Amino acid sequence: MAGQESSGGKKMEELEEWRLYEAYNELHGLAQEFDTPFDAPALLVVGHQTDGKSALVEALMGFQFNHVGGGTKTRRPITLHMKYNPECDTPLCHLLSDSDPSVSHEKSLQEIQVYIEAENMRLEKETCQFSAKEIIIRIEYKYCPNLTIIDTPGLVAPAPSRKNRSLQAQARAVESLVRTKMQHREFIILCLEDCNDWSNATTRRVVMQIDPEISRTVVVSTKLDTKIPQFARASDVEVFLSPPASTLDGFMLGDSPFFTSIPSGRVGFGPESVFRSNDEFKQAISSREVEDLLALEEKLGRALSKKERSRIGVTNLRLFLEELLLKRYMDSVPSIIPLLEKEYRNSTRKLSELDQQLSSLNEAKLKEKGRTFHDLFLTKLSLLLKGTVIAPPEKFGETLQDERVNGGAFIGSDGLQFPHKLIPNAGMRLYGGAQYHRAMAEFRFVVGGIKCPPITREEIVNACGVEDIHDGTNYSRTACVIAVAKARDTFEPFLHQLGCRLSYILKRLLPIAVYLLQKEGEYLSGHDVFLRRVADAFNNFAESTEKSCREKCMEDLVSTTRYVTWSLHNKNRAGLRQFLDSFGGSEQSSIIGNDSNMSTQTTETRLADLLDSTLWNRRLAPSSERIVYALVQQIFHGIREYFLASTELKFNCFLLMPVVDKLPAMLREDLESAFEDDLDNVFDITNLRHSVVQDKRQTEIELKRVQKLKEKFRYIHEQLNSQQAKFGQ
């Protein structure tokens, strides 16, 4: 009777453990599927490509299934929910669906192997050759431990040469994926090292970046059978089996490393297969453990202690990991229940919101939403132009240097830029009206400082030409021809650059306005088609308005460089008169001479000589060159001043102001027209309703699964408490 009671008690204990493992397997699947933050303990296997990672996982499971060999054979993490079942003589495997992880399909080992190999080959051909999405397999087998193991892609250590750039990029991608997985604090890290000198921390280097004290890490030295023959002295073996604390810093799980050997060879019936069944594979593992123990004792010249023996072989590692994971499971049960309660409340609230969203998908409510969003959007645009600090400058602001890179710089014909440090507020991160004002100020600085380009003697002679009624030279006309050509070539590029820059600044208002609406909960989430329409309308308005404004400015530039009006173009008459007076005096002196006897020459003679040297003589004297140069300077500067004033005024009136007084009417007209013509497509009602229904269905599934898990963990918690109370008595 006592034996029967003992047997019955053991079966009840095994049943409770099964329930515990099953609950945690479901919890892990739920966390993966719905991206919920449940701390489901699991073993995360980390190692380099040649460390025998996948082979060790197979040995722990008691059967072979993975794509094992040289190179990268694991491109997606493989999660194995293993459960010991003495009634399963062959592994019973279920592969969880990638598209719907709540659905699983029973697969043979060969089918799972084919699937994993196909996934590896598919990813190998893609740009990103690795995926963080786990392949999840549930397994029951008579040799399986009660463990959840996650096998990660093998780390790579490529040579640092240029020809290995592709492999270096692959190494970075793998390390990033593995580091992300290790950041889950509930995972126990199984750190594999293939070395006979513990000072070489190849895998530990990566692991200790996440777990610096290796306090949640089990260190495993693989391929023990290949290392034993390498030791020449017993002392070397002693140090290898029990490394000093200075070599293995930290507080690793189990206090010392484990040592394993996995027999090489695959299970199958082909000529290349070594084992005919998984039973043979399992027996070979046990035989290898015995051989390793004997070989170690022979090298040491003594018998191994009980503690040393407990660290040798896959069997001991498996027992240690099972006990460790079981303890973690039991310790985590009380903290899991409140998390499930919270997730249940979140799912219930989300379901209620989805029901409300479905009820609001009617024409009247959608139109009201659209009009409200229209008004709020315009309010934010106006606020950004007038000035605000609500949007963070570090996220949305731009320095002048950033603005030049993204929106274009003001560059003259010499290809040089105005030093940005000389512009007020150049280093500040601005947006909205402040950024618009700074850009206009830079335009004034740059264009206002432009000097008339150099004039060559050839240009003057070519500009003289021949009049239609006489063959004399008209230097005033020559100066006009040169000045307007220089001005047109100089200022027209700046007009296009200003339009491009200010258009860019206005378009930047859109994402900032959206941010403000999101921050205040006024954004139309889920209505992407409608929001794209508003964004397109705004951007089109900014582009067309800038183009229209630029064309108006271009008309001004064309008119002021087509016909010279002296009252407009010659702003500094006093300066020009002073220059010509001094020049005229020196010219007369050069013509008449300094001889006092010539003082009686008549005014008519002096005039004739002056005309002879300018109007009738085609030889370009210094005096004529200076006259043309002075006139060109005056005309050019007059055009520059007019161009600056008219351009700034027009951009303010015909680009900035329309955002305030024309954009609202244009957007409203576009909106109402869309409401009348094609409301369904504006809000994409059919697809949106389908999407909401899908979300609702998924949330209902999640809610049911959370409720079921909550009941399971509550039951387990009650059983653990009753057992503790029984032992306490």
Side-chain angles (χ1 to χ4, degrees):
M1 287 290 291
Q4 289 179 351
E5 287 180 6
S6 174
S7 175
K10 185 176 181 181
K11 285 185 177 180
M12 282 298 295
E13 186 178 335
E14 286 180 354
L15 180 62
E16 294 305 324
E17 283 189 15
W18 279 13
R19 284 175 175 162
L20 181 66
Y21 292 129
E22 179 123 5
Y24 269 109
N25 288 348
E26 287 186 32
L27 184 69
H28 183 87
L30 189 71
Q32 286 293 312
E33 183 180 350
F34 297 107
D35 196 23
T36 46
F38 297 131
D39 294 336
L43 295 171
L44 186 74
V45 185
V46 178
H48 281 75
Q49 276 186 0
T50 57
D51 288 346
K53 199 165 41 59
S54 297
L56 177 62
V57 171
E58 290 181 337
L60 288 169
M61 291 165 50
F63 65 90
Q64 294 180 349
F65 82 103
N66 205 351
H67 192 181
V68 176
T72 302
K73 298 302 181 185
T74 307
R75 294 186 178 273
R76 282 178 63 181
I78 301 173
T79 298
L80 305 162
H81 294 304
M82 297 182 284
K83 189 163 72 173
Y84 168 69
N85 187 343
E87 297 178 2
C88 285
D89 291 326
T90 58
L92 178 62
C93 305
H94 286 84
L95 178 67
L96 271 64
S97 168
D98 266 352
S99 57
D100 185 2
S102 63
V103 177
S104 63
H105 305 283
E106 186 175 341
K107 299 281 186 182
S108 67
L109 286 178
Q110 290 75 19
E111 289 173 327
I112 288 178
Q113 281 180 320
V114 168
Y115 176 77
I116 293 172
E117 290 177 13
E119 278 297 284
N120 288 337
M121 291 175 66
R122 177 183 67 81
L123 288 167
E124 190 174 359
K125 296 174 183 175
E126 293 187 1
T127 306
C128 182
Q129 297 185 343
F130 298 88
S131 171
K133 187 175 178 61
E134 297 174 7
I135 297 173
I136 302 177
I137 305 168
R138 290 205 306 264
I139 304 165
E140 293 182 38
Y141 185 41
K142 63 182 179 181
Y143 293 141
C144 262
N146 290 307
L147 293 175
T148 292
I149 292 182
I150 304 170
D151 187 15
T152 61
L155 297 166
V156 186
S161 62
R162 286 190 174 184
K163 64 181 179 181
N164 289 324
R165 281 181 178 174
S166 175
L167 195 59
Q168 289 163 8
Q170 179 178 311
R172 288 191 295 271
V174 173
E175 186 166 327
S176 175
L177 188 154
V178 172
R179 283 165 59 93
T180 301
K181 288 291 181 186
M182 288 193 295
Q183 284 171 350
H184 292 270
R185 299 192 62 81
E186 69 276 12
F187 288 172
I188 297 165
I189 302 169
L190 206 59
C191 172
L192 274 56
E193 296 278 19
D194 178 16
C195 62
N196 56 12
D197 183 355
W198 287 110
S199 59
N200 295 324
T202 51
T203 304
R204 277 175 292 140
R205 176 191 62 80
V206 179
V207 170
M208 292 178 74
Q209 292 173 20
I210 306 299
D211 183 23
E213 295 295 324
I214 56 175
S215 56
R216 57 184 180 94
T217 299
V218 177
V219 178
V220 180
S221 174
T222 58
K223 305 179 184 178
L224 176 63
D225 55 332
T226 65
K227 295 180 176 61
I228 296 173
Q230 298 176 26
F231 296 116
R233 296 173 298 179
S235 59
D236 295 333
V237 182
E238 297 279 5
V239 172
F240 182 62
L241 293 179
S242 302
S246 59
T247 306
L248 285 177
D249 293 333
F251 307 93
M252 77 180 75
L253 293 171
D255 297 328
S256 65
F258 283 80
F259 303 87
T260 62
S261 298
I262 314 298
S264 60
R266 306 303 293 167
V267 174
F269 297 100
E272 73 281 357
S273 300
V274 175
F275 310 110
R276 294 301 171 194
S277 67
N278 284 306
D279 285 344
E280 279 191 30
F281 174 58
K282 179 73 174 171
Q283 183 58 46
I285 292 172
S286 300
S287 299
R288 173 62 65 191
E289 291 174 357
V290 173
E291 291 170 11
D292 286 345
L293 289 170
L294 292 173
L296 284 170
E297 288 181 339
E298 184 181 346
K299 281 282 184 181
L300 288 168
R302 64 173 176 82
L304 291 166
S305 67
K306 184 179 179 181
K307 182 179 178 181
E308 288 172 332
R309 282 176 167 268
S310 71
R311 293 294 179 265
I312 308 297
V314 174
T315 303
N316 286 320
L317 174 63
R318 170 177 156 167
L319 289 172
F320 175 81
L321 294 176
E322 274 193 287
E323 291 174 4
L324 181 62
L325 201 60
L326 178 61
K327 185 177 185 305
R328 291 290 178 96
Y329 279 168
M330 290 181 170
D331 291 344
S332 298
V333 167
S335 63
I336 290 294
I337 295 172
L339 283 174
L340 287 168
E341 292 280 6
K342 182 181 178 182
E343 189 61 28
Y344 186 82
R345 290 193 301 271
N346 290 341
S347 298
T348 304
R349 183 171 60 252
K350 183 180 177 182
L351 201 58
S352 175
E353 291 171 355
L354 289 170
D355 284 332
Q356 289 180 0
Q357 196 172 345
L358 275 175
S359 66
S360 68
L361 293 180
N362 63 67
E363 287 192 9
K365 288 186 177 180
L366 287 173
K367 286 181 179 180
E368 182 184 348
K369 278 185 176 182
R371 291 175 183 130
T372 302
F373 179 83
H374 164 271
D375 295 338
L376 292 169
F377 174 66
L378 291 171
T379 301
K380 299 307 179 194
L381 286 181
S382 176
L383 180 66
L384 288 168
L385 287 174
K386 291 177 181 177
T388 180
V389 294
I390 300 176
E394 62 274 11
K395 184 175 182 180
F396 294 106
E398 285 187 332
T399 64
L400 183 58
Q401 197 68 11
D402 296 333
E403 185 181 318
R404 285 178 173 182
V405 170
N406 298 322
F410 296 123
I411 301 175
S413 57
D414 57 3
L416 300 177
Q417 293 186 39
F418 197 81
H420 70 277
K421 293 181 179 179
L422 300 180
I423 306 298
N425 303 324
M428 293 189 179
R429 293 172 292 189
L430 305 182
Y431 56 78
Q435 189 175 12
Y436 180 96
H437 186 274
R438 182 179 64 187
M440 193 61 83
E442 185 188 5
F443 176 75
R444 285 197 303 271
F445 267 99
V446 174
V447 177
I450 290 176
K451 304 297 182 183
C452 181
I455 305 166
T456 66
R457 292 169 62 84
E458 286 179 340
E459 286 177 322
I460 296 174
V461 173
N462 278 308
C464 287
V466 177
E467 294 284 348
D468 59 353
I469 198 168
H470 68 88
D471 64 353
T473 53
N474 183 346
Y475 286 118
S476 61
R477 181 191 179 282
T478 300
C480 292
V481 169
I482 295 172
V484 296
K486 296 282 186 183
R488 176 75 176 265
D489 291 344
T490 300
F491 298 129
E492 185 174 350
F494 286 106
L495 187 57
H496 293 280
Q497 291 166 13
L498 179 65
C500 183
R501 175 82 76 85
L502 295 182
S503 174
Y504 164 74
I505 291 171
L506 288 182
K507 286 183 179 180
R508 288 193 67 239
L509 297 176
L510 179 65
I512 307 175
V514 167
Y515 167 81
L516 296 180
L517 291 169
Q518 289 174 328
K519 185 178 180 182
E520 297 174 12
E522 298 167 340
Y523 189 66
L524 277 180
S525 298
H527 296 282
D528 294 339
V529 175
F530 171 77
L531 296 170
R532 278 199 302 272
R533 186 183 184 98
V534 173
D536 290 343
F538 174 76
N539 287 329
N540 290 337
F541 175 83
E543 289 173 6
S544 61
T545 306
E546 183 275 326
K547 182 182 178 184
S548 173
C549 176
R550 181 162 35 84
E551 287 173 351
K552 288 181 172 66
C553 293
M554 195 64 204
E555 287 179 0
D556 274 359
L557 181 60
V558 169
S559 65
T560 197
T561 55
R562 185 174 182 183
Y563 188 83
V564 174
T565 305
W566 290 105
S567 61
L568 176 66
H569 291 73
N570 185 18
K571 295 291 184 183
N572 189 8
R573 293 188 184 185
L576 178 62
R577 183 178 295 111
Q578 183 180 358
F579 171 80
L580 290 176
D581 285 346
S582 63
F583 165 74
S586 63
E587 185 66 26
Q588 290 181 24
S589 297
S590 65
I591 295 171
I592 300 170
N594 294 322
D595 191 350
S596 58
N597 296 328
M598 301 295 292
S599 61
T600 59
Q601 190 172 9
T602 62
T603 302
E604 289 80 3
T605 304
R606 291 198 301 270
L607 178 59
D609 291 340
L610 182 61
L611 288 173
D612 183 59
S613 66
T614 56
L615 179 62
W616 299 329
N617 193 340
R618 287 269 170 167
R619 293 179 62 189
L620 188 61
S623 57
S624 304
E625 186 178 349
R626 292 172 64 191
I627 289 174
V628 172
Y629 182 77
L631 287 172
V632 169
Q633 292 284 334
Q634 293 301 311
I635 297 169
F636 182 90
H637 293 157
I639 294 174
R640 183 191 64 193
E641 296 305 313
Y642 180 78
F643 171 74
L644 260 179
S646 66
T647 300
E648 182 172 1
L649 182 63
K650 280 185 168 55
F651 269 96
N652 286 337
C653 290
F654 300 114
L655 178 64
L656 182 62
M657 292 309 298
V659 176
V660 178
D661 53 31
K662 289 186 178 179
L663 178 64
M666 188 280 296
L667 279 182
R668 175 56 66 92
E669 183 181 344
D670 181 74
L671 204 61
E672 295 300 332
S673 173
F675 286 169
E676 294 300 322
D677 297 339
D678 201 1
L679 182 67
D680 184 76
N681 281 338
V682 169
F683 284 99
D684 198 17
I685 297 174
T686 303
N687 287 334
L688 184 60
R689 182 176 282 113
H690 177 73
S691 175
V692 174
V693 169
Q694 286 287 97
D695 284 349
K696 183 181 177 184
R697 189 177 294 119
Q698 283 290 97
T699 306
E700 287 172 342
I701 293 171
E702 182 180 0
L703 196 64
K704 288 178 182 177
R705 291 179 65 183
V706 171
Q707 175 65 24
K708 182 181 174 184
L709 267 176
K710 197 169 63 165
E711 292 170 358
K712 280 188 177 183
F713 273 94
R714 186 172 282 117
Y715 172 80
I716 292 166
H717 186 51
E718 290 170 357
Q719 292 299 310
L720 290 173
N721 284 341
S722 65
Q723 287 178 13
Q724 288 174 357
K726 189 187 297 183
F727 286 125
Q729 292 174 354

